[in-house]
């Protein structure tokens, strides 16, 4: 069986999309199975993003009665998405949150999504694997944590998901060296700058890995290099669960219930087992019964939902007997460096994810910090470019001059492995949202190792751009990618779920999103989140409905 046939036999999503120039299989959505609230379905999932959708699709294929409830809409790329930065605001989770700590993390477009497909609808599209070392940083480097599961156990799931998205890129020499199912994309001006500067410094940089079809895949067309990946790919070339896992789930009897905000997880006090979800839909409070529950609401909303699901049995929040819920929330340090060139770069004329290096990923014994960073092309569109320039303090005439010079700039971003710290956490604020639920308070402070990493990454990016011929470089400090907050561990004193993502406290409750990650590496997290969810699905299928 060829590669495509093998993928199709496992996940037919790309072939279930229309082949007539439109982007959505309306029949599949219209004829979707719909469960009644009072049906006790096998599993109900909170959130239909990276982690939730993979679980949904795998279990539906195995004949489970399964539904995913998502607070946001069921997007139709043809009618809902626009090729316009400002007009894409609806894609983000913009409900109120309180931020605190010495280095608070701004929330919004850069770190959350809302709606079927989750944050991957408007993620950039980079899909690197974690390195084997990421699973044992405590043993190797004396920082972070060891996972209760290793790279080797996750590798088959990385391979499956890379084929299903599918991923394009050069052979990857770092971590566990591996190839990709699709050849690398051609690069635009920004990628050429990166490759040129890195080559002059002797730094290996590679094209990819991106979850963007290079050539036709099923009924998905190939990329047209229009650069709107972070606004939702209207073309359907960039992978997101909306097109990579949801169609197959629907075709196998799953329900996706959009515009359904989950407000609480119910647990029977006598049996200690989850019984279903309280949610609000169409202004009505409802309750979906289920034999098992999975939560995949992303790193802020998952711990918030657990904390908001307090009861007599769990007075400090569900699964929070050992004060682990919300802790070890991580965000990658993401300094961004732009360089000006006399030649036109036109960084918007390609997907932002093009070229990256993981040369600096591992701990370097010659440095005074542990762990490392990666560097990638980022290619901001004009509004994000204005934010970069304004963050440097340029306003008025100076800002206008930088803006009219946009086509001459190239832009790189780093992902620094900021360490998991127990005091970086989500708790509940006193403020309430429109559902009457207490909002999340996210407190975040950097440690010395984090700051040293960000300085080192900035200096490497500035060197690369200078080596490529930039006559001016400007760097801003930012954050990217949230993970953690309900991590997996060997026991309940150190985490919330076990190696199969099953909560220690409630035997039929699973968490299958980015919140379970104990460390974050300097890789973008979506592929790992999907691989972990696929592994959990296999565990559930093997164990049956319990
Ligand atoms: C701008 C941007 C760029 C990114 N770029 C990359 C990249 O290049 N590569 C990469 O690997 N990662 C990237 N990411 C990160 C990646 O998208 C996330 O790590 C990943 O999607 C998280 O998966 P998840 O399953 O934890 O949550 P999500 O995919 O965010 O899914 C969570 C879902 O749960 C729903 N939800 C939450 N709470 C509730 C509730 N109470 N009731 C009902 N529904 C609820 C939300 O609506 C959402 O749809 C990017 C993210 C952003 C925002
Ligand atoms: S550059 Fe390619 S992947 Fe990105 S939005 Fe455009 S068509 Fe989609």
């Amino acid at each position: 069986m060829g590669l495509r046939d093998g993928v199709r036999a496992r996940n037919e999503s790309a072939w279930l999309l229309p082949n007539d120039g439109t982007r959505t299989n309306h029949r599949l959505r219209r004829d979707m199975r719909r469960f009644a609230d009072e049906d006790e379905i096998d599993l109900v999932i909170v959130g239909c993003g990276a982690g939730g959708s993979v679980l949904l699709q795998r279990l539906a294929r195995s004949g489970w009665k399964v539904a995913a409830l998502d607070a946001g809409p069921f997007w139709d790329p043809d009618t809902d998405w626009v090729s316009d930065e400002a007009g894409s605001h609806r894609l983000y989770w913009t409900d109120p949150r309180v931020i605190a700590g010495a280095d608070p993390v701004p929330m919004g477009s850069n770190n959350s999504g809302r709606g079927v497909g989750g944050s991957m609808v408007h993620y950039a599209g980079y899909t690197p694997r974690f390195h084997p070392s990421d699973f044992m940083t405590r043993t190797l480097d004396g920082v972070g944590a060891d996972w209760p599961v290793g790279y080797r156990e996750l590798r088959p799931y990385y391979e499956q998901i890379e084929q299903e998205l599918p991923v394009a890129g050069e052979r990857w020499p770092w971590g566990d060296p591996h190839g990709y199912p699709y050849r690398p994309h051609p690069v635009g001006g920004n990628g050429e700058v990166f490759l040129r500067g890195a080559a002059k410094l002797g730094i290996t940089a590679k094209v990819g890995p991106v979850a963007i079809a290079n050539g036709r895949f099923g009924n998905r067309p190939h990329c047209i290099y229009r650069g709107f990946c972070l606004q939702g790919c209207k073309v359907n070339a960039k992978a997101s669960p909306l097109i990579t896992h949801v169609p197959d789930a629907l075709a196998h009897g799953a329900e996706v219930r959009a515009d359904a905000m989950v407000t609480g997880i119910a647990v029977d006090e006598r049996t200690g087992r989850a019984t279903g979800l309280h949610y609000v839909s169409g202004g009505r409070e409802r309750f979906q019964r289920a034999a098992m529950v999975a939560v995949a609401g992303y790193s802020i909303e998952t711990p918030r939902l657990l904390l908001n699901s307090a009861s007599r049995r769990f007075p400090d929040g569900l699964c929070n007997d050992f004060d682990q819920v919300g802790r070890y929330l991580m965000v990658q340090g993401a300094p961004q460096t732009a360089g000006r060139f006399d030649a036109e770069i036109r960084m918007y004329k390609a997907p932002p994810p093009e070229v990256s290096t993981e040369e600096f990923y591992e701990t370097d014994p010659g440095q005074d910090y542990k762990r490392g960073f990666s560097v990638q092309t980022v290619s901001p569109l004009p509004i994000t470019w204005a934010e970069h320039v304004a963050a440097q303090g340029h306003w008025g005439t100076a800002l206008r001059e930088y803006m009219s010079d946009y086509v001459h700039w190239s832009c790189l971003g780093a992902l620094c492995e900021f360490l998991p710290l127990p005091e970086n956490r989500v708790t509940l604020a006193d403020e309430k949202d429109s559902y009457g639920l207490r909002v999340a308070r996210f407190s975040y402070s950097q440690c010395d190792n984090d700051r040293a990493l960000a300085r080192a990454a900035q200096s490497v990016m500035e060197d690369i751009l200078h080596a490529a011929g930039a006559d001016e470089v400007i760097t801003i400090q930012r954050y990217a990618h949230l993970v953690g907050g309900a991590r997996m561990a060997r026991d309940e004193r150190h985490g919330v779920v076990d190696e199969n993502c099953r909560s220690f406290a409630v035997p039929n409750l699973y968490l299958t999103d980015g919140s379970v990650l104990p460390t974050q590496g300097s890789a973008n997290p979506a592929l790992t989140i999907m691989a972990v969810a696929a592994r959990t699905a296999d565990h559930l299928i093997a164990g049956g409905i319990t």
Side-chain angles (χ1 to χ4, degrees), residues 47 49-51 70-71 114-115 118-119 123-126 260 262 296-298 481 513-514 524-526:
D70 201 290
R114 180 191 194 91
S119 306
Y123 83 144
Y126 274 118
V262 177
Y298 204 15
H481 307 142
D513 61 2
N524 320 59

Side-chain angles (χ1 to χ4, degrees), residues 45-53 69-72 92-93 108-128 230 241 260-263 296-299 301-302 304-305 353 376 437 481-483 512-515 523-529:
I45 305 170
V46 183
C48 198
S53 66
L69 276 51
D70 201 290
Y92 318 136
W93 187 289
S109 63
N110 193 40
N111 44 27
S112 62
R114 180 191 194 91
V116 179
S119 306
M120 282 181 76
V121 160
H122 69 114
Y123 83 144
Y126 274 118
T127 43
L230 284 118
M261 172 72 184
V262 177
T263 53
Y298 204 15
S299 276
E301 292 307 312
T302 288
R304 175 188 175 217
L305 182 62
Q376 306 176 330
L437 291 177
H481 307 142
L482 300 163
V483 293
T512 59
D513 61 2
S515 64
N524 320 59
L527 182 81
T528 299
I529 294 169

Side-chain angles (χ1 to χ4, degrees), residues 321-471:
D321 287 349
F322 295 93
D323 194 22
Q324 290 295 306
V325 172
R327 288 195 185 276
Y328 301 100
L329 212 141
M330 288 163 273
V331 60
Q332 283 167 329
Q336 186 171 288
T337 301
R340 190 195 181 279
F341 295 80
D342 283 339
E344 289 191 357
I345 306 300
R346 296 193 180 270
M347 57 181 163
Y348 59 89
K349 282 181 98 59
E354 291 190 278
V355 175
S356 42
T357 179
E358 293 179 2
E359 287 280 279
F360 308 93
Y361 196 109
E362 303 285 344
T363 296
D364 175 350
Q367 302 292 347
D368 59 356
Y369 53 78
K370 303 285 189 188
R371 305 305 295 159
F373 55 89
S374 59
V375 178
Q376 306 176 330
T377 51
V378 287
S379 307
L381 289 177
I383 293 178
T384 329
W385 172 238
E387 286 167 6
H388 185 116
V389 174
Q392 289 278 313
H394 298 296
W395 290 95
T397 308
L399 175 60
R400 274 207 302 281
E401 279 169 8
Y402 275 101
M403 291 306 295
S404 52
D405 209 29
Y406 172 65
V407 295
H408 290 278
W409 286 83
S410 156
C411 201
L412 305 181
L415 295 177
C416 303
E417 182 180 345
F418 282 7
L419 295 173
L421 303 173
E423 54 280 8
N424 287 340
R425 72 178 306 188
V426 166
T427 51
L428 294 179
D430 292 333
E431 288 92 328
K432 295 195 171 160
D433 68 6
S434 55
Y435 300 95
L437 291 177
R438 289 172 69 187
V439 307
R441 177 182 188 277
F442 175 29
S443 177
Y444 190 81
S445 305
Q446 294 173 21
C447 63
D448 289 345
N449 200 78
D450 299 341
R451 282 185 275 271
L453 273 179
R455 278 195 300 274
Q458 171 171 350
S459 138
V460 165
M461 289 191 293
E462 292 182 355
D463 287 351
I464 291 172
L465 290 175
H466 278 308
D471 49 29

Side-chain angles (χ1 to χ4, degrees), residues 128-135 151 155 158 171-180 357-362 371 523:
R129 296 183 191 179
F130 278 22
H131 288 199
S133 68
D134 288 321
F135 298 82
Y151 173 85
R155 183 166 56 192
Y158 275 136
R171 183 165 174 79
W172 215 241
W174 298 288
D176 173 29
H178 57 276
Y180 287 108
T357 179
E358 293 179 2
E359 287 280 279
F360 308 93
Y361 196 109
E362 303 285 344
R371 305 305 295 159

